[in-house]
Amino acid sequence: MTGGESAALKVENLCKDYKKFKLENVSFVLPKGYIMGFVGRNGAGKSTTLNCIMRSVIPDGGKVTVYGRDMEQNEIAVKNDIAFSAGALQSFRRVRGDEIAEVYGMFYPTFDFDKYESLKKRFSLDGSKRMKEMSAGMRVKFSVALAMSHDARLYIFDEPTSGLDPVSRDEMLDLFAEIVEDGEKSVLFSTHITSDLDKIADYLTVIDNGRIIASGVKDEILDSHALISGGEISEEVEKKAVAYKKTPLNFTALVKRSDLPIAAAETVSRPDIEQLLIYYAKAGGDRI
């Protein structure tokens, strides 16, 4: 994957240094027409990265390119090309939904109030309600509806399915799939709900302790690993495993397929995203 118009989003060596946390040379590429899941444990740097991309937090270094345009040099124009949602609008608890939409529309020349009304209907939202009168899930849906109501090409959502019941989460994922159908628009969303990524993500970027430990095609990342389990763990498996867990009776270990020992275990399976995260976190955030 290269930059330019082939990429919806290109992040290069993004850095942000806080006293107790450091975002370190974060780099990844999201091609046009795909969905990327951005995943990591709480405090890993997901929200900091997204805020640095949007320049709501100014990074200490690095470069962000959206459809071939430098974010720092073309910030206003590029932001008009992005639909960004960062949670459930906690700061506007006393404001009615439709009032927020009126103000939001002032910042985006392409804001489409007809589309906003359509999304309200689709999400069963009541714009006359104040934010404090909506459930956490309704506030998340309202935030996403606002973000989607202008003519964006890149959609960035921070924990968009947080607080939603399973049916609503599935509806949101279906919406993401619709967004990318034309092959031009792309979606980047962070989440701690790894089952959502299993369902919908084409690409996967994994962050731990402010460092990217994996980024690429989701299935290729998962296929390149194996989860093995058995009775007593061998010395060979201990040496080759990314990380392992063992009890007096059995063990489970994550290994790279290229390091898979022959006849090393009773069971060999493909890990899911959650298992991948757990074992790499246990390994201390080694890069995949």
Side-chain angles (χ1 to χ4, degrees):
M1 293 179 293
T2 60
E5 278 295 318
S6 63
L9 174 66
K10 187 175 183 181
V11 178
E12 301 173 86
N13 300 315
L14 208 58
C15 298
K16 184 65 182 179
D17 196 352
Y18 294 105
K19 288 183 179 179
K20 296 184 178 181
F21 177 78
K22 185 177 181 180
L23 204 64
E24 183 181 350
N25 296 320
V26 167
S27 299
F28 58 88
V29 178
L30 171 58
K32 290 193 298 185
Y34 291 97
I35 298 171
M36 175 180 281
F38 190 36
V39 65
R41 68 171 98 183
N42 289 338
K46 298 188 300 296
S47 293
T48 300
T49 298
L50 298 186
N51 285 324
C52 283
I53 289 172
M54 293 300 299
R55 296 184 66 78
S56 51
V57 169
I58 303 301
D60 296 328
K63 182 178 180 181
V64 174
T65 308
V66 178
Y67 289 92
R69 294 185 296 181
D70 185 284
M71 176 63 131
E72 184 177 3
Q73 296 176 3
N74 306 277
E75 185 171 346
I76 294 176
V78 171
K79 283 185 174 179
N80 278 324
D81 224 8
I82 300 173
F84 179 63
S85 173
L89 298 169
Q90 297 285 7
S91 302
F92 304 97
R93 291 182 57 81
R94 296 181 179 275
V95 185
R96 301 182 193 278
D98 287 343
E99 293 172 341
I100 293 175
E102 288 286 344
V103 175
Y104 195 90
M106 294 171 62
F107 289 92
Y108 292 95
T110 56
F111 191 87
D112 186 340
F113 283 94
D114 289 337
K115 187 171 185 179
Y116 165 69
E117 292 294 336
S118 176
L119 287 166
K120 275 202 308 180
K121 184 176 180 180
R122 177 170 183 168
F123 292 156
S124 300
L125 295 171
D126 183 352
S128 67
K129 284 187 175 182
R130 303 177 193 277
M131 290 296 105
K132 67 177 183 179
E133 297 170 334
M134 296 185 187
S135 67
M138 285 293 117
R139 291 196 298 271
V140 170
K141 286 184 178 182
F142 184 79
S143 177
V144 172
L146 282 179
M148 293 185 62
S149 293
H150 69 97
D151 191 21
R153 291 193 289 171
L154 174 62
Y155 294 75
I156 300 177
F157 300 124
D158 192 3
E159 300 281 358
T161 57
S162 177
L164 299 182
D165 60 75
V167 174
S168 296
R169 275 173 41 214
D170 193 62
E171 290 172 350
M172 192 70 71
L173 297 180
D174 286 343
L175 190 61
F176 292 171
E178 289 177 25
I179 289 172
V180 302
E181 277 181 352
D182 65 1
E184 291 294 322
K185 300 180 182 70
S186 297
V187 174
L188 169 66
F189 75 103
S190 70
T191 185
H192 64 276
I193 305 173
T194 56
S195 60
D196 289 348
L197 303 179
D198 289 320
K199 291 178 182 178
I200 198 70
D202 305 299
Y203 285 78
L204 181 66
T205 294
V206 184
I207 189 169
D208 190 73
N209 197 29
R211 299 162 66 239
I212 299 298
I213 61 173
S215 187
V217 178
K218 178 189 71 178
D219 287 337
E220 290 180 359
I221 292 174
L222 296 179
D223 288 343
S224 67
H225 291 79
L227 197 66
I228 61 177
S229 60
E232 185 176 350
I233 189 168
S234 69
E235 184 177 333
E236 182 183 18
V237 172
E238 284 194 19
K239 287 180 179 179
K240 291 185 176 181
V242 172
Y244 60 86
K245 299 178 182 180
K246 64 179 181 178
T247 70
L249 297 177
N250 54 53
F251 78 92
T252 306
L254 182 74
V255 298
K256 294 183 179 179
R257 285 275 176 184
S258 57
D259 291 335
L260 187 63
I262 299 174
E266 296 172 0
T267 306
V268 178
S269 60
R270 181 182 190 257
D272 59 26
I273 296 170
E274 182 174 346
Q275 290 165 332
L276 196 78
L277 281 177
I278 289 171
Y279 281 91
Y280 269 96
K282 188 176 177 65
D286 289 342
R287 286 186 170 88
I288 295 176

